[in-house]
Amino acid sequence: MSHVRSLVCVNCGREHDAREFRYFCLGCGGFLDVAFDTDEIKRSLSRDDIDSRPPSIMHRWLEFLPVENPQLIDVVSLGESVSPLIRAGRVARKLGLKNLYFKDESRFPTGSLKDRSMPLVVLKALEFGFSSVSIVSSGNAAASLSAYAARAGLQAVVFVAGGHSARLAKIRSYRPTLVQVNAPYSETESLYLKAREHYGWYDCNGLINPFRLEGKKTLAHEICHALGWSVPDIVILPTAFGNGLVSAWRGFLELEQIGWTSGRPAMFAAQPENCAPIARAMEKGAETVEPVTPLPTVANSIAVGDPAIGGGRVLKVARESGGGATGVPEELILEAQALLAGEEGLFVEPAGATSLATVMKMLAESRVDRDALIVASITGEGLNDPEIVERWAPGTQTIEPDIGSLRRVLDRIQDQ
Ligand SMILES: Cc1ncc(COP(=O)(O)O)c(C=O)c1O
Ligand SMILES: [Zn+2]
């Protein structure tokens, strides 16, 4: 039995039994959030218990998750473990920062942050007795869902807008029912929603399925745990629909509420300038987000022009926490990606590097205290978009197998 109290409508507050399958409020059709009995969590668990547990995400944070049948964890899990919180070295020195950390979400089984929340929704599909799970995605979420469905023996149906070669290869290998739609995300999504209604798949999208946010919130738990239960000053997350940011915030509040931490971080959303509807709305002081038409961006996996209700939620959290939302230019994203790889040994996809690009932009605008404890989440591995490396990585040199050729090449490199 979990510590979930109910599913609460974000509009009218109506409560629903969380053990019954449902996406939306029975009264008003509003989105549902999972509400926990935090007193129960506090009574049943201590910070010391956490230290004694294995690093498997769902086992470690079980009491914070809406899992009714813990035996299913090992049925769906691919061994996704707590992700590393790495103290920046050379990049921090270069930027003149004392306490910069990278939360490396790129090393999960399918190479992106999606593996933090996907096993939980696949587990919920098993609990509710579904045989098919579905998602519409620009790539990373489709790969993640396909992998976890394969593991759990469920059919995955994934709708992919456009499609990038490396990600598609990854997705195809897990053998989902793959529907590649030759249209922008919004049209792909409308088709997907009609199909889901018709075929009755279990929808794993973060703005529909209330359990996705709960899976994502453990990011906050892990950050605080790794920092000896202290709270960062600033947390920066690459942002598309804003589910990650909103749920991490929820995680920080939860920990404060049960008395394991004190204080809250300022939450910042990082977006590519070429598709930054949330950052635009923030600048204008708006409460809702106007959709934009995305321009091409290297950060394609977070290029969402219409984050719908998610955008408004990010604005609220960013303001309430004293944070913000920033659009970063293409060159800065590539520079951040190259710095992460060349100076820190972290090869991440451009979308994942937007958080460091945001740090760099905020420093250039003197918007950040150099002593602040900053956590920048890096959210997808470099091989998700291998072709982008051509924009900044040095070329290769092929030589004849003799020492003269080798010497000439080495001398040339040293001269550079
Ligand atoms: C690489 C990467 N980073 C970050 C995100 C964040 O997405 P969201 O703001 O919807 O949590 C995504 C999701 O599409 C992603 O693929
Ligand atoms: Zn309602």
Side-chain angles (χ1 to χ4, degrees):
M1 267 273 291
S2 72
H3 297 311
V4 171
R5 212 184 56 225
S6 62
L7 294 177
V8 183
C9 173
V10 297
N11 291 337
C12 72
R14 178 168 170 169
E15 298 198 62
H16 305 72
D17 187 341
R19 284 159 307 180
E20 289 169 13
F21 154 72
R22 160 164 304 108
Y23 302 123
F24 299 112
C25 173
L26 274 173
C28 75
F31 287 92
L32 298 175
D33 273 345
V34 184
F36 283 81
D37 186 336
T38 37
D39 289 339
E40 269 297 316
I41 298 179
K42 199 170 167 176
R43 260 196 300 275
S44 65
L45 193 68
S46 74
R47 299 197 306 196
D48 291 342
D49 293 332
I50 298 298
D51 291 328
S52 64
R53 292 185 176 178
S56 143
I57 295 181
M58 286 199 286
H59 285 299
R60 177 162 286 185
W61 306 111
L62 180 63
E63 285 79 356
F64 296 93
L65 295 172
V67 173
E68 302 302 330
N69 181 357
Q71 285 175 347
L72 291 175
I73 292 178
D74 293 334
V75 176
V76 297
S77 174
L78 289 167
E80 55 291 331
S81 290
V82 164
S83 72
L85 185 71
I86 303 161
R87 190 168 191 158
R90 285 149 55 103
V91 166
R93 284 195 289 281
K94 237 185 170 103
L95 299 178
L97 289 172
K98 295 218 175 68
N99 293 301
L100 174 64
Y101 290 80
F102 302 118
K103 180 67 172 161
D104 187 356
E105 298 278 283
S106 72
R107 299 191 208 179
F108 289 131
T110 75
S112 88
L113 80 164
K114 305 294 176 180
D115 298 348
R116 179 178 287 290
S117 54
M118 216 55 91
L120 177 64
V121 282
V122 171
L123 183 148
K124 295 310 286 183
L126 291 176
E127 283 187 356
F128 289 131
F130 281 85
S131 56
S132 307
V133 287
S134 64
I135 204 152
V136 55
S137 155
S138 61
N140 287 338
S144 180
L145 182 63
S146 303
Y148 285 98
R151 163 78 176 159
L154 297 178
Q155 180 60 35
V157 184
V158 302
F159 279 50
V160 178
H164 302 273
S165 58
R167 276 200 195 84
L168 265 187
K170 208 184 259 187
I171 297 167
R172 286 166 54 207
S173 71
Y174 301 122
R175 303 183 66 157
T177 301
L178 168 63
V179 183
Q180 209 185 349
V181 185
N182 186 17
Y185 188 86
S186 54
E187 285 168 58
T188 307
E189 190 187 27
S190 336
L191 177 66
Y192 165 80
L193 290 173
K194 282 189 211 128
R196 184 208 72 198
E197 273 319 294
H198 182 76
Y199 293 104
W201 308 315
Y202 185 61
D203 194 325
C204 297
N205 280 293
L207 285 184
I208 293 171
N209 189 314
F211 300 109
R212 272 295 292 289
L213 283 193
E214 297 309 309
K216 285 175 175 246
K217 83 184 170 191
T218 54
L219 178 85
H221 297 62
E222 286 179 17
I223 291 172
C224 295
H225 182 226
L227 293 173
W229 300 110
S230 59
V231 179
D233 299 308
I234 292 175
V235 173
I236 306 175
L237 303 179
T239 296
F241 291 97
N243 293 320
L245 189 138
V246 170
S247 46
W249 176 243
R250 194 173 289 181
F252 287 115
L253 296 189
E254 197 170 66
L255 291 173
E256 192 186 34
Q257 208 177 341
I258 63 169
W260 287 13
T261 55
S262 68
R264 303 163 181 188
M267 304 292 295
F268 286 83
Q271 302 203 287
E273 209 168 70
N274 283 358
C275 183
I278 301 176
R280 292 290 91 77
M282 193 79 195
E283 273 161 27
K284 283 197 228 147
E287 276 176 19
T288 53
V289 172
E290 286 288 313
V292 301
T293 306
L295 297 173
T297 171
V298 290
N300 56 66
S301 43
I302 54 170
V304 170
D306 183 6
I309 186 186
R313 293 212 277 206
V314 174
L315 292 175
K316 197 159 168 282
V317 170
R319 290 197 178 110
E320 199 178 316
S321 68
T326 305
V328 278
E330 296 292 290
E331 305 71 53
L332 200 57
I333 298 172
L334 292 170
E335 192 185 331
Q337 187 190 21
L339 277 176
L340 282 166
E343 306 285 331
E344 298 282 354
L346 297 167
F347 179 36
V348 305
E349 63 169 277
T354 55
S355 51
L356 177 60
T358 298
V359 174
M360 291 157 77
K361 185 169 174 185
M362 284 167 50
L363 279 171
E365 294 170 353
S366 308
R367 282 165 59 207
V368 60
D369 176 356
R370 288 186 184 273
D371 293 336
L373 198 162
I374 304 170
V375 175
S377 177
I378 50 178
T379 48
E381 67 165 329
L383 286 178
N384 287 331
D385 279 314
E387 58 286 351
I388 287 166
V389 168
E390 299 303 331
R391 306 266 295 264
W392 53 263
T396 55
Q397 317 245 12
T398 308
I399 57 165
E400 295 310 313
D402 62 76
I403 199 77
S405 306
L406 175 63
R407 204 172 282 135
R408 275 193 296 282
V409 164
L410 293 183
D411 287 350
R412 217 170 29 240
I413 291 173
Q414 265 155 21
D415 287 348
Q416 280 167 6

